[in-house]
Amino acid sequence: MNAEGLESFRDFVDSRSSALLKTAVLLCGGDRHAGEDLLQNALVKAAGRWDRIDEPEAYVRQALYRQQVSRWRLKWPRREVSVAEPPEPPGSGEPGADTAAAELRLVLRQALSRLTERQRTVLVLRYFEDLPEADVARLLGCSVGTVRSTTHRSLARLRGLAPELAALGPAEAERFDAHDYSPVEVRP
């Protein structure tokens, strides 16, 4: 990579890594470390082809999705590590944060982490990335019908895991705007 390409790659990473990390963390079920690894691998792939990439963000997002699909297709999935205590004590969050909204976000993250990787990936692509079913099917290498049925089953399971989310009205649901999502590590 030449000096100009290196500078444009650094600019891209500086400007877009935060948004890309949010997607990666969601794809990994709220596990920030796994999300960082996923993003780092995608950026390494992009760096090797940087001079030939027309749309860098689309390329990196595609790499994230494909790596996640490869992870869930592994014959021997990685084991999660459970911990007895949360990593930070209660009340150590941002001052002035709405406690009820924070609790609901935690419930949502915990419920997402309990979905299968395939279910979580489909929901992230459909609702966080706001991709149409056809694009999700193309990215995951499956049919539109599979995306629809997986979405339906995933939402049903999510509602079962976190019934308090189903009771949210439109005003409360707006508080969960994907762009305000701040990733934290959550393990069941």
Side-chain angles (χ1 to χ4, degrees), residues 4-80:
E4 183 180 313
L6 182 60
E7 185 63 31
S8 69
F9 180 73
R10 285 183 179 154
D11 290 342
F12 171 76
V13 171
D14 287 343
S15 65
R16 299 304 305 152
S17 62
S18 175
L20 293 167
L21 179 60
K22 290 175 185 177
T23 300
V25 170
L26 283 171
L27 288 170
C28 293
D31 185 343
R32 184 176 177 91
H33 299 294
E36 289 171 347
D37 290 344
L38 190 67
L39 178 58
Q40 182 177 357
N41 290 337
L43 289 173
V44 166
K45 288 182 180 187
R49 300 175 177 262
W50 191 253
D51 296 333
R52 298 180 300 240
I53 298 174
D54 294 329
E55 294 186 37
E57 185 157 353
Y59 182 90
V60 172
R61 287 184 183 277
Q62 179 90 8
L64 287 173
Y65 308 146
R66 290 179 185 255
Q67 286 178 49
Q68 183 63 17
V69 168
S70 295
R71 280 185 56 210
W72 64 357
R73 289 182 176 161
L74 288 175
K75 184 175 181 178
W76 304 105
R78 292 196 289 183
R79 306 261 181 218
E80 291 186 14

Side-chain angles (χ1 to χ4, degrees), residues 145-176:
T146 300
V147 170
R148 287 180 183 156
S149 63
T150 302
T151 301
H152 177 74
R153 285 191 308 273
S154 303
L155 288 173
R157 182 155 184 232
L158 191 63
R159 287 182 190 109
L161 291 170
E164 55 269 43
L165 295 175
L168 290 179
E172 292 91 1
E174 285 179 16
R175 289 198 258 177
F176 295 101

Side-chain angles (χ1 to χ4, degrees), residues 54-185:
D54 294 329
E55 294 186 37
E57 185 157 353
Y59 182 90
V60 172
R61 287 184 183 277
Q62 179 90 8
L64 287 173
Y65 308 146
R66 290 179 185 255
Q67 286 178 49
Q68 183 63 17
V69 168
S70 295
R71 280 185 56 210
W72 64 357
R73 289 182 176 161
L74 288 175
K75 184 175 181 178
W76 304 105
R78 292 196 289 183
R79 306 261 181 218
E80 291 186 14
V81 178
S82 298
V83 294
E85 296 293 323
E88 57 230 10
S92 64
E94 296 179 15
D98 182 16
T99 306
E103 288 174 0
L104 285 174
R105 277 194 301 274
L106 286 174
V107 167
L108 176 62
R109 289 180 195 151
Q110 288 172 342
L112 281 172
S113 71
R114 294 183 63 200
L115 295 176
T116 67
E117 290 184 15
R118 181 182 190 99
Q119 290 173 328
R120 188 171 47 248
T121 301
V122 169
L123 290 180
V124 168
L125 292 175
R126 284 286 291 131
Y127 298 107
F128 180 74
E129 292 292 318
D130 199 26
L131 294 176
E133 291 169 339
D135 289 351
V136 174
R138 184 181 46 77
L139 286 170
L140 299 180
C142 62
S143 70
V144 173
T146 300
V147 170
R148 287 180 183 156
S149 63
T150 302
T151 301
H152 177 74
R153 285 191 308 273
S154 303
L155 288 173
R157 182 155 184 232
L158 191 63
R159 287 182 190 109
L161 291 170
E164 55 269 43
L165 295 175
L168 290 179
E172 292 91 1
E174 285 179 16
R175 289 198 258 177
F176 295 101
D177 183 13
H179 302 291
D180 294 335
Y181 174 80
S182 58
V184 295
E185 184 175 348

